[in-house]
Amino acid sequence: MRRSRGAAAALALSLAGTALGVGLGLAPQAAAITPPVAFTADPLATWQPDGVVWALAEAAGQVFVGGTFSTVRPPDGGSGSERSAVNFVALDAATGAPTSCELSFTVGSGSATVRALALSPDKSTLYVGGYFGAVNGTPVSSLAAVDVASCTVKQGFRPAFAATVRALAVTGDTVYAGGDFLSVAGQPRQRFAAVGAADGALKPFTADADEPGRAVEVTPDGENVILGGDFFTVNGTNTHALAVVDATSGALTKSYAGFIETNSVVKDIATDATGFYTANEGTGGGVFDGRIAVNLNDFGQRWRDTCLGATQAVLPYQSVLYSASHAHDCSSVGEFPDGQRHHLLAQPTTGTGKLGWAPDTNDGIGEGIGPRVMTVGSKGGVQYLWVGGEFTTVNGAAQQSLTRFASAGDTGAPTVPVASAVSFRPGEVQVRWRTSLDLDDSALTYRIYRNGAATPLATVTADSLFFKRPQASWTDTTAAAGQSYTYRVTATDAAGNTSALSATASVTVPTTVEGYPNQVRADGAQQYWRYDESALPFVADSSAGGNQSGTHLNAPALRQAPGAVSGASTAIGFNGTDTQVYGDTRQTVGSTYTIETWFKTDTTRGGKLVGFGNNQTRGSNQYDKHIYMTNNGRLVFGVYTGATRTITTSGSYNDNQWHHVVATQGPGGMTLYVDGAQKGTLAVTTHENFSGYWHAGGDSLGGWPDRPTSEYWAGRLDETAVYPTVLSPAQVQNHYALATAPADSVVQVPAAEDTYANAGAPATNYGTSGSLAVRGTSFYASYLRFDLPAAPAGTVLKSAALSVKTSTQSGAGTTDTVSVLPVTGSWSEAGTTYNNRPALGGPALGTFAGIPDGSAVHTTGLTTASVAAALGGGYGLALSSTGTDALWLWSSEAQANEGTPQLTLTFGAP
């Protein structure tokens, strides 16, 4: 176990003001990682034992490693490179390689092990506890002292411990030990004892416990000793798993009867200048497994972190508490629900909220616990956090039982953002993305690029954690109606590590407001999943708040068409077995709310359409406020008030047609609507109050009436929204009507032919060159032909826009204005040269007022009436300039043109 962290705590206090000054959402300006975290999450190459590491200590640039193992090998596991290391190895703090200090801890019968390492205050002596009978052949009995400078056993230190020593703490003149022993040097001492630091002579200190001791720490003032373990009494007084005793006599200073559950034990204790911290392991479901902070001034609790997952070690360092566990459920403190195990965590010493540091191991060999011990080593001005245990991987790569992380050299880039773009009204595009994951940076900087430009259009900072990946967004208010745009996003951490560009998100700006989504937003939806994404696993929130995004589970089918709402919006398909969408953000639901979605199915196995549950990827054990379908196609809206309370439709809706369902609850009770009509009410105004996540497509249904065969939905969903208010009957009917109203349609038409004319080569044809060029002097002009569709029945052309893309050559852009003109003469791609070029008409249909260098897509609106007159036939355009700065574009033959040159036509009701 580790010793008092007084020096580290003092430094931590001096930095506290700085750490507190880093607010959420603000990107750090200088640190390589997000303060107050002190270490990267990038594991460094480290020699690895072939067994379990139980103990770590550091002195003079060396890290001492104790455990149950026989050899160590290089990080790459190179064959023939193993070295003998019998339960102990000394490694260089900076390189992770063995030093010249070699000690073997053995026993005549049974299996020897090293379980505790502690240094004298001046770090000249290393004390080693465990179960062993000799060190390099020198007889000892489970506790030895080693001279650090010479790496030799101190012959004059020979205390006789009759059983395993599991914990050590050292002052200038005393070594405190905890473990399984019942006697020391033939004198009764039950599980805790103290001996002289120089000679090992037994001291009067008596703190007898009835069960094993596992942790011991001395308070920074030296007056008290903190004990942890399995015990229920100390010196005959009830105090389970934790006690504070006098450092000289062992008499109880503070007992903790009833403070810790009877089937939870303390595995580790660590101190800083303000308090001490316990690591607890529980036996049985839901038993206290987390961490406790206790103040030194009164030995009273500061906070208790009730995360579940067998905490093995705690280490306060610079105002951050690092912990080793296999935490799998932190829902009790408002964080991640039961599910994946997380083995390394960090939180402020002032509270339970987790920080943005989350490297990970696996459970590993032996008991399947994972990491068990931590210490900080220093060399060359760099601090190294060492972690030992029984794991066999670190961050997914093979590495056994030992790893380390540095205070500098952050090299890990954030994950690639998953982006989408949407436009509900003219002149506005909302770019949304799931915030990225960086294991040592919670504050990241995002850059948004439009139309392939090399320079970002905007920069946004946002926070994320491994269990909280909220949606971030930025609104482009310079987007023109009727034009198409592409957007990509990158994430950068404080050290400058940058992710790859996100996949391209495309959008066409409507020329009029889209009725249905605009009304959902106007009516106050706080979560709105439209399911228009083309890539897993991000489900964008299209509500005005835009921070309740979702995550796909097990790859539901994306972009199912047609969707429920007229227009280009698509639906999502669920398989009825294991696919669903769950919310990224933990929340609570108030006394008034509305659930709304569209659905289409022919299932005869039922399933949950939408509901609220306390878990994400696992089936919830608390669940209500849901809409589900019975096997015969009836819809049920239910809440739990201590008993299930439901409204069920009389009709069935598994007819493979789109239907609209809305469920509300508020002061007036519960109401269920289908296709705009009320189908039932119930005078119930309460529901089960818990924190959780919205689900679409499946979650638990055990215990509910007419429970379907499947808890998962087989069919399509669209336009799922949740409101913090009760929608009125008029609002519900309006939504139903708006969804079926005609919507604008968008047609994108690539160039059928394109070429350019060059006065410098008057007889040359450039129809297959892959490039287009425009200049006034000397003359270049580009010619484009489009085969225009006729307007769909009942619609007219509402807008037209031309998109082109600059090439990658240097100086492809232009400072001159480029005009889009009608072509009046005949021409063909294969036959046009400067000598026979067609005549140009007027006036200009649109203009590009200069185009910057850098390969990117650029769009200009065209005169709608002129394009409308040519619908249903061929349409010729020319790009012309009067200046001297040439513009170079990709032609339709170029692979890099991304569909340009292209016309975007928007049709809608007259």
Side-chain angles (χ1 to χ4, degrees), residues 467-471 527 529 547-551 582-588 612 616 692-694:
F467 60 90
K468 191 161 88 173
R469 306 274 297 279
Q471 175 174 298
Q527 178 175 300
W529 296 342
N547 60 4
Q548 300 292 342
S549 55
T551 300
Y582 61 84
D584 263 335
T585 305
R586 187 179 177 87
Q587 58 183 286
T588 57
F612 193 74
Q616 289 178 305
Y693 310 85
W694 286 104

Side-chain angles (χ1 to χ4, degrees), residues 452-510:
T455 302
L457 194 62
T459 299
V460 172
T461 59
D463 285 356
S464 57
L465 298 168
F466 68 91
F467 60 90
K468 191 161 88 173
R469 306 274 297 279
Q471 175 174 298
S473 64
W474 171 78
T475 300
D476 182 359
T477 57
T478 66
Q483 297 189 26
S484 297
Y485 298 91
T486 61
Y487 298 88
R488 302 181 80 178
V489 182
T490 63
T492 302
D493 67 14
N497 301 306
T498 300
S499 73
L501 284 162
S502 70
T504 299
S506 302
V507 65
T508 298
V509 183

Side-chain angles (χ1 to χ4, degrees), residues 569-710:
S569 182
T570 58
I572 190 170
F574 298 98
N575 63 12
T577 303
D578 61 0
T579 56
Q580 63 160 296
V581 170
Y582 61 84
D584 263 335
T585 305
R586 187 179 177 87
Q587 58 183 286
T588 57
V589 180
S591 58
T592 61
Y593 63 91
T594 295
I595 308 167
E596 177 180 38
T597 197
W598 286 79
F599 67 93
K600 178 181 181 181
T601 188
D602 58 2
T603 184
T604 57
R605 301 177 68 247
K608 183 179 289 192
L609 285 73
V610 184
F612 193 74
N614 69 335
N615 215 317
Q616 289 178 305
T617 60
R618 297 186 178 185
S620 298
N621 53 37
Q622 288 180 287
Y623 42 94
D624 77 338
K625 299 175 282 294
H626 49 208
I627 302 168
Y628 62 92
M629 179 174 279
T630 64
N631 287 347
N632 61 6
R634 294 184 299 158
L635 294 173
V636 181
F637 169 37
V639 300
Y640 186 74
T641 62
T644 58
R645 308 300 300 275
T646 60
I647 303 171
T648 304
T649 64
S650 57
S652 295
Y653 297 93
N654 55 347
D655 56 3
N656 211 29
Q657 300 295 315
W658 279 111
H659 296 283
H660 179 231
V661 59
V662 176
T664 69
Q665 187 180 28
M670 299 166 59
T671 305
L672 178 64
Y673 302 86
V674 180
D675 294 339
Q678 188 182 107
K679 297 298 180 180
T681 61
L682 190 64
V684 174
T685 60
T686 61
H687 54 77
E688 189 174 10
N689 187 19
F690 59 91
S691 296
Y693 310 85
W694 286 104
H695 294 252
D699 196 13
S700 303
L701 277 170
W704 284 80
D706 296 318
R707 182 184 178 186
T709 300
S710 175

Side-chain angles (χ1 to χ4, degrees), residues 58 72 144 207 232 234 243 259 320 360 466 473 508 650 673 681 702-703 738 824 870:
E58 181 270 345
V72 292
F232 292 87
V234 172
F259 184 68
V320 173
D360 205 11
F466 68 91
S473 64
T508 298
S650 57
Y673 302 86
T681 61
L738 285 171
T824 60

Side-chain angles (χ1 to χ4, degrees), residues 373-466:
V373 64
M374 298 183 292
T375 197
V376 174
S378 176
K379 191 170 184 180
V382 178
Q383 313 302 312
Y384 299 92
L385 174 63
W386 286 69
V387 178
E390 58 193 90
F391 47 85
T392 58
T393 66
V394 178
N395 287 356
Q399 175 71 18
Q400 183 169 348
S401 300
L402 195 60
T403 190
R404 61 202 176 98
F405 307 93
S407 61
D410 181 13
T411 60
T415 59
V416 180
V418 181
S420 69
V422 66
S423 181
F424 300 120
R425 58 176 62 91
E428 181 180 298
V429 173
Q430 186 186 52
V431 185
R432 299 90 53 90
W433 60 94
R434 189 186 194 205
T435 46
S436 297
L437 174 61
D438 189 295
L439 295 179
D440 47 33
D441 288 283
S442 56
L444 299 174
T445 300
Y446 299 88
R447 292 178 174 85
I448 302 96
Y449 298 84
R450 188 173 76 178
N451 289 348
T455 302
L457 194 62
T459 299
V460 172
T461 59
D463 285 356
S464 57
L465 298 168
F466 68 91

Side-chain angles (χ1 to χ4, degrees), residues 94-172:
T95 68
T99 69
S100 60
C101 179
E102 297 182 4
L103 300 170
S104 295
F105 290 78
T106 57
V107 68
S109 61
S111 298
T113 184
V114 171
R115 293 300 180 106
L117 297 170
L119 287 150
S120 60
D122 64 2
K123 293 194 174 186
S124 66
T125 303
L126 173 69
Y127 295 91
V128 184
Y131 178 71
F132 46 84
V135 183
N136 284 3
T138 299
V140 290
S141 185
S142 295
L143 180 60
V146 176
D147 179 73
V148 171
S150 63
C151 189
T152 57
V153 176
K154 291 191 172 184
Q155 301 284 343
F157 185 86
R158 294 283 186 89
F161 281 78
T164 303
V165 173
R166 297 181 180 275
L168 294 172
V170 185
T171 65

